[in-house]
Amino acid sequence: MAVSGKTAPLLLLLQVRWQLFVNSLRRQNRRIELLVQSVGIFFAALFVLGAGFGFFFGTFEGLRSSQPWILGMLLWVVFLAWQFTPILFEGYSPGLNFREIARYPVSFPLYFVLHCVYGLSDPAALASLWWMLCLWLGVLFARPAWSLPAAGILAAFALFNVFCNRLLIGLLERFQSTRKGRERMAVILLALMVTPQLIQMIGITRMNALMPGKTLLFKVAALNRLSPPGSVFAAITGTGGEQLAAALLLFGYLGVAALLLRRQARAVYLGELHSDGSKAHRELKAEPGWKIPGFDEIISAVIEKEFRYLRQNARLLLQLVYPLVIFALLFSGRGALRKGFPAAGQGSTAMLGMMAGFLLLGVANMAYNIFGLDREGFGRWLLAPVKLQKILLAKNLAQASLFVAMYAIVASLLLAISHLPWLPFAGITVSFITVLVVQFGAGNLFSVWWPKKVDLSQMSSRTVSPAAGLASMLVILPVGMIVGSVLMASYFLEIPWLPLAAGLVLLAIIIRLYFYSLDRAARYIQEHMEEIEQTLSK
Amino acid sequence: MPEIVLETHALRRSFGEFTAVDNLHLVVERQQFYGFLGPNGAGKSTTIKMLTGLLRPTSGEIRILGRDLEKDSVEVKRRIGVVPEGLALFERLTGTQLLNFSARMYGLDRNTAAQRTKELLEFMDLADAGDKLVADYSHGMQKKTALAAAVIHGPEILFLDEPFEGVDAIAATTLKRLLQRFISRGGTVFLTSHVLEVVERLCTHIGIIQNGRLVAGGALDELRAGVKISGHDQSPLTLEEIFLQVVGGARQAEESLSWL
């Protein structure tokens, strides 16, 4: 389709975004991935459309029944969805490196406009716009007199969201482009992840005690007026001077966001690039590599390489360590959390079982795409004079050792503080190892059937392909059912040693199946090496 | 009689209905510096991928150092070194870590691996960048690292896919020096390149592939003797002239772009 005239660059940009999306669906031998993606898109669209009706009726009813706070809450939903969904789901929609646009002969004002329009074409932005339209229709039907100023206010809010989101993505991209930035971001994410637990730990009552006279909720509600969604709410529902002040505040936010975004976009337009740099060292040191006791040079070398890679993947490490952080908070928590942490007997057994399950949920992030981080380096495995089974085994050993270490920490702490009965402890430990072997065995197959390139410098939130992600759930479901059945049988038949015995029998079977999976995966690599290499490197 | 170190018989590779390499017969002897040439898309990289175990042939046989590549791939891989098309580097390791890792994958002990890593980094003029991530290297530095990784275990044959592409003159000189030294010590080099001047200067034997078929092959002098160009003076043909003659020559001027 040829485009011309003043709108040509805009249309071209939207056309490119659409083509990127369509091309992302054109993958050879990826029918299941396509199916998973299509189902996901269908349900997401259904959710967005359905939620739109909720926005309409929520606003309508809220304004009609003198409960306008519903509108305020919905504005927060729009704001958060618009700002954070593109970040969380960035990896799910094919994106364009906007930096590339600056290579073409476009002026900075046009570049800036394109930058914003590109942000508007994001699925999350489109969904948010739809919800805002529904919200406005709610205002129109409930309070027709408010609808005209509300339209202007909501348009300004939409523009603010575009600016703010592009600004946020630009900042995150800047963080992601350097190793230090990624590490800092991981720390920030960790802090955000544990904030609810920290609040629980400190105890809301204690926080309220620190602020006499007012509850925490009351204080937060007062601050809400100063927030962008709060100012939109006040500008629509307020009266007289309050309304004017809120509108001015909103336009102030809009102006600041526009200025900051302009500054950021200008720097990128002029070619600002952040990347890792390091000082050259004159003195060359080549230390011998790691020697892992009990393993030969090759397995030691692969394990060393895997750990060096893992060390650089702060986000994945964060996901892995999260259960341990939760455990630490439960361990040292107070109030409701501490109640859920019994020190002895059945309670500690249940806690160990729960933590084992929690840790196992994280295995899929690594095991179901074991070559993802290798990218172009995948070819080096093929060039090495080593059987592929051995490489897969070494990679699995490196990754599994992390989970075993975390389990060991949890178990040691529980053993130290409680009288954990040995029989359930042994049963849970054997089951943990069995499920770990199942996950890695299945993961090897899914890693080669549906490999996915993982780029640490991109905000992609996916460490495995959609199909492999779905497969991990399909694997964990029957495993969970078997574990549950054994536990129930043990309880109702009063056979306390049943979980341990069943775990040992299953482990023996699973280990055989694991080696079978190694052979199958290696054979598949031999037969599809070029296809896998292309997927991982391009 | 010279030892044959690389031999293919009726080698073929198809991608769907497209045949990239067709009925390829190659013979390379020890200490030959074999240049494998061809226009873009002729099948050079596909061939080198098959010869190094990075791509399965559709049919045909590959024998390297007297062994069948398919049946004895691990032993063959142990004795060859490869710089593949995409370099296949673990970019999130430092140069030192990568070379150390490569050496140990070939079964070298830790101390030997560390010693050779140090020597190679110094030889390749990468000593200052040894603790930088390979991802932060320039293209030329990555090429040199890939070559270092290919020779660290002391292979008998080197397969190099476009080793001089994107490499500056200084780095190219280092690479040439290393390759000539390798040949003089009994090694064999099989390389693909578009830089015909370099191939002409380095290679003792040439193979030209077009549309997946070997259309000319042999020692450079044999090729010169075999190719006749009407109107050419008595001076020896350059490799470029031979190449253009064999693959069909340059396009006519009238085929040029209308706006340039």
Side-chain angles (χ1 to χ4, degrees), chain A residues 182 278 281-282 286-287 289-290 297 300 304 308-309 312 376-377 380-382 384-385 527 529-530, chain B residues 15 49 53-54 56 74 77-78 87-92 97 100-101 104 106 110 114 128 131-132:
Chain A
R182 286 195 290 276
S278 54
H281 291 274
R282 285 274 142 211
E287 302 288 341
W290 299 359
E297 287 290 349
S300 295
E304 179 183 349
R308 290 197 185 282
Y309 261 53
Q312 291 181 51
E376 288 85 356
R380 200 138 293 270
W381 301 124
L382 304 176
E527 286 162 6
M529 52 177 95
E530 203 187 43
Chain B
F15 298 97
K49 275 182 181 171
L54 287 172
R56 262 195 162 180
V74 172
K77 285 175 183 177
R78 204 186 305 281
L87 302 182
L89 298 173
F90 290 117
E91 294 189 345
R92 296 268 150 203
Q97 288 164 359
N100 222 323
F101 167 81
R104 294 173 73 205
Y106 283 93
R110 293 159 66 232
D128 288 352
D131 60 352
K132 270 173 80 172

Side-chain angles (χ1 to χ4, degrees), chain B residues 133-254:
Chain B
L133 288 185
V134 175
D136 297 334
Y137 280 10
S138 68
H139 183 67
M141 289 162 86
Q142 289 190 347
K143 269 263 156 84
K144 287 198 281 187
T145 309
L147 188 64
V151 299
I152 199 161
H153 58 291
E156 292 172 58
I157 311 180
L158 268 179
F159 291 91
L160 314 171
D161 199 347
E162 297 287 355
F164 301 105
E165 190 189 45
V167 170
D168 67 40
I170 302 166
T173 309
T174 310
L175 298 190
K176 280 182 242 168
R177 228 171 61 212
L178 186 138
L179 295 178
Q180 277 164 336
R181 189 177 142 132
F182 177 71
I183 291 279
S184 67
R185 291 194 170 194
T188 308
V189 175
F190 184 96
L191 70 79
T192 71
S193 180
H194 282 113
V195 190
L196 296 180
E197 292 82 2
V198 174
V199 174
E200 188 168 13
R201 211 167 330 128
L202 289 176
C203 295
T204 55
H205 290 73
I206 305 287
I208 299 176
I209 186 173
Q210 192 182 20
N211 297 327
R213 287 174 168 269
L214 194 70
V215 288
L220 196 51
D221 290 337
E222 288 170 12
L223 285 181
R224 281 195 180 109
V227 175
K228 299 277 177 259
I229 299 176
S230 59
H232 191 273
D233 58 22
Q234 293 302 305
S235 62
L237 291 173
T238 63
L239 182 57
E240 188 175 343
E241 285 167 333
I242 296 170
F243 181 79
L244 290 176
Q245 183 67 19
V246 170
V247 302
R251 287 187 184 190
Q252 298 298 311
E254 50 268 31

Side-chain angles (χ1 to χ4, degrees), chain B residues 44-55:
Chain B
K44 299 186 298 294
S45 291
T46 305
T47 304
I48 212 165
K49 275 182 181 171
M50 287 193 284
L51 297 179
T52 55
L54 287 172
L55 184 65

Side-chain angles (χ1 to χ4, degrees), chain A residues 105-256:
Chain A
V106 289
S107 64
F108 176 67
L110 180 58
Y111 176 80
F112 186 77
V113 171
L114 291 175
H115 193 50
C116 297
V117 170
Y118 189 71
L120 260 177
S121 67
D122 189 275
L126 293 174
S128 301
L129 279 175
W130 159 245
W131 291 340
M132 281 173 75
L133 177 68
C134 295
L135 207 140
W136 179 77
L137 287 172
V139 176
L140 178 70
F141 282 95
R143 302 282 169 112
W146 291 2
S147 63
L148 200 61
I153 293 294
L154 287 175
F157 185 48
L159 206 54
F160 167 76
N161 274 309
V162 174
F163 291 164
C164 203
N165 180 247
R166 297 311 287 166
L167 196 63
L168 200 60
I169 285 181
L171 274 175
L172 287 174
E173 276 176 354
R174 189 174 162 170
F175 272 133
Q176 288 289 108
S177 60
T178 61
R179 214 182 325 165
K180 271 189 183 165
R182 286 195 290 276
E183 281 161 8
R184 280 176 196 151
M185 215 167 86
V187 172
I188 294 168
L189 281 173
L190 179 64
L192 287 174
M193 281 160 83
V194 299
T195 300
Q197 282 79 15
L198 276 171
I199 292 171
Q200 277 275 9
M201 199 175 91
I202 296 165
I204 293 206
T205 44
R206 199 171 161 188
M207 282 182 79
N208 286 334
L210 291 172
M211 292 178 275
K214 285 180 179 178
T215 64
L216 180 68
L217 205 63
F218 190 81
K219 276 219 151 192
V220 172
L223 285 174
N224 180 41
R225 287 168 177 276
L226 300 175
S227 69
S231 62
V232 174
F233 173 70
I236 293 174
T237 60
T239 51
E242 187 195 10
Q243 197 172 26
L244 184 67
L248 285 174
L249 183 63
L250 175 67
F251 282 103
Y253 277 126
L254 184 62
V256 171

Side-chain angles (χ1 to χ4, degrees), chain A residues 98-99 102 108 111-112 115 167 170 174 259-274:
Chain A
F98 210 80
R99 197 176 287 278
F108 176 67
Y111 176 80
F112 186 77
H115 193 50
L167 196 63
R174 189 174 162 170
L259 279 175
L260 289 174
L261 181 65
R262 189 193 175 280
R263 200 177 143 195
Q264 187 191 63
R266 180 84 187 160
V268 174
Y269 179 77
L270 293 174
E272 182 193 56
L273 193 66
H274 295 274

